[in-house]
Amino acid sequence: MKIDIITAFPKMFVGSFTESIIGRAIKNKIININFINIRSFSNDKHKKIDDRPFGGGCGMVIKIEPVYYAIKSTGVKKKNKKYKNFYTKPLVIYMTPQGKILKHKLILDFSKYKHLVIVCGHYEGIDERIKNYVDEEISIGNYVLTGGEIPAMVLIDSITRILPGVIKSDSIKNDSFFNGLCDYPSYTRPVVFKNHKVPDILLSGNHKNINDWRIKKSYNKTIKHKIDSK
Ligand code: ADE
């Protein structure tokens, strides 16, 4: 999968893509990440990309022109262009707190694309006319961060880990939300830590009972999660 990240702050990503599972996915060429700096598309001699909002108000707004040309530079064609296979069409995603909340189902859908273009806003966001040039607006939660860079890292991490060859497919099947349920609780050695013991059933060796216990715990956790997240 090719991932183009459109940002004014590419250095924010340093580190997050070199370590662990994502680092390995890049090394093994399962994903190919490419940074496109919005400033490279500024026609201002100081490479300025933002301006004051029309109508007044605080903060600065990222201008539409450099973002538009940055998106165009990725090879994205007009929205209505027909592709042989839907998922070979590049998908342009804008990270914004006003977007659809990211859920497992969306991650599964995004993971089928061959090419994602992820646009990160900053300051007070990008000029609203960006809506004409993106396919999806995605939020990682109902809170506001300083920009779309950290949300983009969250999105890329969640997509990459479910791509074939990145982690064992059994691990993905056991994920929270894979089957609409939260994951069951996991324990490892030691059996007792500061008076807290691993549930006896997990040490019993009875796989049928262990399985039944895990299903029950998954349901209970899911119900609690649903109540807590209301
Ligand atoms: N940019 C700032 N806050 C954000 C959020 N919660 N989700 C996505 N992009 C953002």
Side-chain angles (χ1 to χ4, degrees), residues 59-158:
M60 297 294 268
V61 179
I62 297 185
K63 291 153 78 72
I64 187 67
E65 298 104 315
V67 180
Y68 167 77
Y69 288 111
I71 294 174
K72 239 183 131 193
S73 78
T74 66
V76 168
K77 304 283 189 315
K78 279 203 185 98
K79 265 190 174 178
N80 56 3
K81 184 177 186 300
K82 289 215 166 53
Y83 286 85
K84 265 190 265 159
N85 167 354
F86 185 76
Y87 290 109
T88 56
K89 160 196 183 298
L91 185 76
V92 185
I93 305 172
Y94 172 37
M95 306 310 299
T96 164
Q98 285 93 43
K100 253 186 243 169
I101 300 283
L102 186 63
K103 297 242 164 84
H104 187 68
K105 208 164 152 290
L106 278 172
I107 294 165
L108 277 178
D109 188 40
F110 296 159
S111 73
K112 295 187 185 121
Y113 283 84
K114 300 270 171 284
H115 183 185
L116 298 179
V117 177
I118 303 176
V119 183
C120 307
H122 220 86
Y123 316 119
E124 293 303 306
I126 300 173
D127 183 308
E128 193 72 2
R129 287 166 285 186
I130 181 73
K131 284 181 184 288
N132 299 304
Y133 308 106
V134 301
D135 301 302
E136 291 279 359
E137 293 175 52
I138 295 295
S139 164
I140 60 160
N142 288 333
Y143 43 83
V144 180
L145 301 169
T146 53
E149 285 76 12
I150 292 171
M153 290 178 219
V154 170
L155 178 67
I156 293 166
D157 189 291
S158 61

Side-chain angles (χ1 to χ4, degrees), residues 190-204:
V191 170
V192 182
F193 178 70
K194 294 192 190 293
N195 291 333
H196 300 290
K197 193 171 179 292
V198 172
D200 286 336
I201 190 144
L202 297 177
L203 310 172
S204 69

Side-chain angles (χ1 to χ4, degrees), residues 5-10 13 35-39 118-120 122 149:
I5 304 174
I6 296 180
T7 172
F9 299 96
F13 293 84
F35 292 101
I36 295 158
N37 194 328
I38 302 172
R39 287 180 211 284
I118 303 176
V119 183
C120 307
H122 220 86
E149 285 76 12

